[in-house]
Amino acid sequence: MSGDMHFGDRVSQYGNNNTGIVHNYGPVDPAAARARMIEAVQNLRTHLSDTDRQVVDQCLPELQAADGSDPARLRNVLAAVTGIAVLVGDVGAPVVEAVRNFLNALGA
């Protein structure tokens, strides 16, 4: 087959000590995903203004209890935390990724 179309990973490696492709898909266990998300949110707190930290502190207890049984409430809490993470830029990226992994683990 000729042409410029390509599907899948394309990898070129040069030199020594290559590790190959590392895919970090996150945990599939909701409890483990929740724990990683909470850890990321707690790490983010140190980079926040007092106002944003207060919002995150109000959300943390609900995140710790989150099991997906109240999808509307969970969505609101995750939206608040993710919104703050996005606004603070690169330092918030781990929270955004952890929230995605948690939602994937819940099957949302």
Side-chain angles (χ1 to χ4, degrees), residues 83-97:
I84 290 170
V86 168
L87 288 175
V88 296
D90 291 341
V91 73
V95 171
V96 175
E97 184 63 25

Side-chain angles (χ1 to χ4, degrees), residues 11-27:
V11 180
S12 298
Q13 294 180 326
Y14 303 95
N16 298 326
N17 302 318
N18 293 308
T19 59
I21 300 173
V22 178
H23 294 284
N24 295 312
Y25 293 111

Side-chain angles (χ1 to χ4, degrees), residues 64-79:
Q64 291 167 336
D67 61 2
S69 61
D70 185 354
R73 182 65 193 149
L74 177 60
R75 179 171 163 45
N76 290 337
V77 171
L78 291 175

Side-chain angles (χ1 to χ4, degrees), residues 14-93:
Y14 303 95
N16 298 326
N17 302 318
N18 293 308
T19 59
I21 300 173
V22 178
H23 294 284
N24 295 312
Y25 293 111
V28 291
D29 174 38
R34 181 179 49 232
R36 287 185 181 171
M37 177 182 61
I38 290 167
E39 180 182 353
V41 170
Q42 289 171 333
N43 290 337
L44 178 66
R45 288 182 73 256
T46 62
H47 301 282
L48 300 177
S49 68
D50 290 339
T51 303
D52 288 344
R53 190 177 311 112
Q54 184 178 13
V55 172
V56 167
D57 287 346
Q58 291 171 350
C59 293
L60 270 170
E62 294 194 50
L63 292 176
Q64 291 167 336
D67 61 2
S69 61
D70 185 354
R73 182 65 193 149
L74 177 60
R75 179 171 163 45
N76 290 337
V77 171
L78 291 175
V81 170
T82 305
I84 290 170
V86 168
L87 288 175
V88 296
D90 291 341
V91 73

